[in-house]
Amino acid sequence: MDIEQIQTAARIINQGGLVAFPTETVYGLGANALNPLAVAKIFELKERPSFDPLIVHIASIGDLNTLTDNVGRNVIRLAEKFWPGPLTIVLPKSKLVPDIVTSGLNTVGIRMPDNDIALKLIMAANCPIAAPSANKFGKLSPVSAEHVKKQLPNVDYVLDGGHTSVGIESTIVSIEGNVSTLLRPGIITLADIENALPNMFIFNAAKPRKLIAPGLLKSHYSPLKPLYILDNQVFHFSESSGLIVHGRKDLILPESKIIYTSQSYNQLEIAANLFSALHIMEDDECIKQIFIEPVAEVGLGVAIMDRIKKAAYKYQQKTNY
Ligand code: TXA
Ligand code: MG
């Protein structure tokens, strides 16, 4: 990536435009977080409901002081341990953060991405960058520049950083006083957070009573064609079936298209390749339905199954396989 592309992108951000850029997790659709009109364009282009708040991306831990009112010791501990990296921390917001960014909430989600292009963009633009994943609301997350262009062809500029390395969205935790809540599972697990904050109460909001993060909706990240999780039911595969597996070798189904996210159930590989596999199946006109093997819900498997279940949710009621 040459510096001129980053400078062009930074200029577009400063002029109130939208730039899609890589992070280590998924591509983001970025705007100047301090410019409400620019942020409004994100909601418009993504067709995102206005009640769904955005994550603000920063390039230095010091920026926490301007975006939030109260940066406690626990926050600094988390930031120093996991940033730059796939962790979003939800904190009480300062007056500087426009309400449109947080959908009117008095908290703001902040993270420092572990991606050189993203960090250089934030530094060149010299402002925090609000960015959701660069896809249409509810659809598959983008892990390459091509995925972004497929769903958002009208974005002002795309910085192409190749395939992202982590492949699923950041872990989200909120911190309020002595209480921390896991709002979205990710590659940084609940156990990682507990180890970093031994003196805190940490809740797992996997089954929230009220909607605190739309990433917690039951249906999200969905492909445009039916997706079914392979369980113990009988499935009828045909030549129009696509199959996504993670190491399973006993499936000899020559009529089906098979994609391996991993050869050996390596969870990091599965996470990195999950959305790409779904995009390939979505784009293949011969494939009419997709089947996916589940993974064990331990460690990073919790976050992987979170994405798989949400992607399959709206199709699971149907019985005519
Ligand atoms: O890895 C990621 O987090 C990617 C990259 C681009 O950084 N971003 C991402 O953004 O996944 P998005 O908008 O697709 O998902 C952000 C989630 C949403 O479910 C939103 O509701 C939640 O974060 N969120 C943001 N601010 C929040 C807040 N103040 N309180 C609770 N949830 C919040
Ligand atoms: Mg998203």
Side-chain angles (χ1 to χ4, degrees):
M1 168 80 38
D2 65 58
I3 188 72
E4 274 170 32
Q5 284 169 277
I6 291 183
Q7 281 165 348
T8 303
R11 206 174 320 118
I12 291 170
I13 294 279
N14 290 144
Q15 290 166 350
L18 301 186
V19 171
F21 62 97
T23 78
E24 79 280 37
T25 57
V26 302
Y27 274 67
L29 177 65
N32 178 352
L34 306 182
N35 177 344
L37 278 179
V39 173
K41 292 183 195 165
I42 293 179
F43 286 89
E44 196 185 0
L45 191 67
K46 255 190 83 105
E47 296 167 23
R48 180 179 176 110
S50 59
F51 61 75
D52 193 0
L54 306 179
I55 293 172
V56 175
H57 297 69
I58 59 176
S60 131
I61 293 186
D63 291 344
L64 276 175
N65 293 317
T66 53
L67 299 173
T68 80
D69 276 338
N70 191 353
V71 185
R73 236 176 344 120
N74 285 321
V75 176
I76 296 295
R77 191 176 296 168
L78 272 191
E80 285 180 345
K81 177 137 198 216
F82 295 111
W83 284 356
L87 178 72
T88 296
I89 311 178
V90 172
L91 296 166
K93 84 174 191 72
S94 74
K95 284 208 181 72
L96 193 69
V97 182
D99 285 334
I100 188 169
V101 171
T102 64
S103 299
L105 296 177
N106 54 16
T107 55
V108 57
I110 304 175
R111 86 176 190 100
M112 190 195 299
D114 186 14
N115 177 287
D116 210 35
I117 295 173
L119 292 173
K120 282 181 176 153
L121 173 66
I122 300 164
M123 285 188 280
N126 198 25
C127 63
I129 294 186
S133 51
N135 53 291
K136 292 276 190 198
F137 182 72
K139 301 292 186 290
L140 289 180
S141 299
V143 293
S144 73
E146 288 70 34
H147 296 159
V148 175
K149 291 172 194 160
K150 178 170 88 168
Q151 292 192 31
L152 304 175
N154 296 326
V155 61
D156 295 321
Y157 200 72
V158 181
L159 285 170
D160 187 345
H163 199 294
T164 66
S165 56
V166 171
I168 59 173
E169 299 80 353
S170 61
T171 305
I172 305 181
V173 289
S174 74
I175 296 196
E176 267 184 275
N178 259 340
V179 179
S180 176
T181 309
L182 180 76
L183 297 176
R184 179 171 71 183
I187 191 174
I188 293 169
T189 63
L190 184 61
D192 294 333
I193 312 252
E194 282 169 344
N195 288 338
L197 300 178
N199 301 322
M200 265 197 132
F201 298 109
I202 304 183
F203 292 114
N204 187 347
K207 291 197 176 89
R209 264 159 290 161
K210 59 177 179 153
L211 185 66
I212 21 188
L216 294 169
L217 290 167
K218 282 185 177 164
S219 177
H220 215 65
Y221 318 111
S222 289
L224 297 172
K225 47 185 82 159
L227 172 70
Y228 305 110
I229 300 172
L230 289 172
D231 49 24
N232 294 325
Q233 295 180 53
V234 177
F235 291 98
H236 299 290
F237 298 105
S238 66
E239 59 189 18
S240 62
S241 301
L243 197 58
I244 300 173
V245 292
H246 319 294
R248 195 168 163 167
K249 298 284 174 4
D250 59 329
L251 292 161
I252 313 291
L253 298 163
E255 68 274 28
S256 296
K257 172 168 178 158
I258 302 184
I259 297 179
Y260 284 88
T261 57
S262 168
Q263 295 295 332
S264 56
Y265 293 103
N266 178 308
Q267 291 186 325
L268 284 171
E269 280 175 13
I270 297 170
N273 294 319
L274 176 68
F275 279 117
S276 280
L278 287 165
H279 274 284
I280 291 170
M281 294 298 189
E282 181 178 88
D283 295 345
D284 187 332
E285 286 174 8
C286 301
I287 302 291
K288 298 287 183 262
Q289 61 274 316
I290 312 162
F291 295 91
I292 189 163
E293 183 187 7
V295 299
E297 288 180 276
V298 289
L300 176 50
V302 174
I304 295 168
M305 275 315 285
D306 171 72
R307 305 311 190 272
I308 291 177
K309 283 181 191 166
K310 283 173 184 159
Y313 184 77
K314 69 179 184 185
Y315 301 111
Q316 75 183 14
Q317 321 294 6
K318 311 221 177 89
T319 47
N320 54 333
Y321 303 120

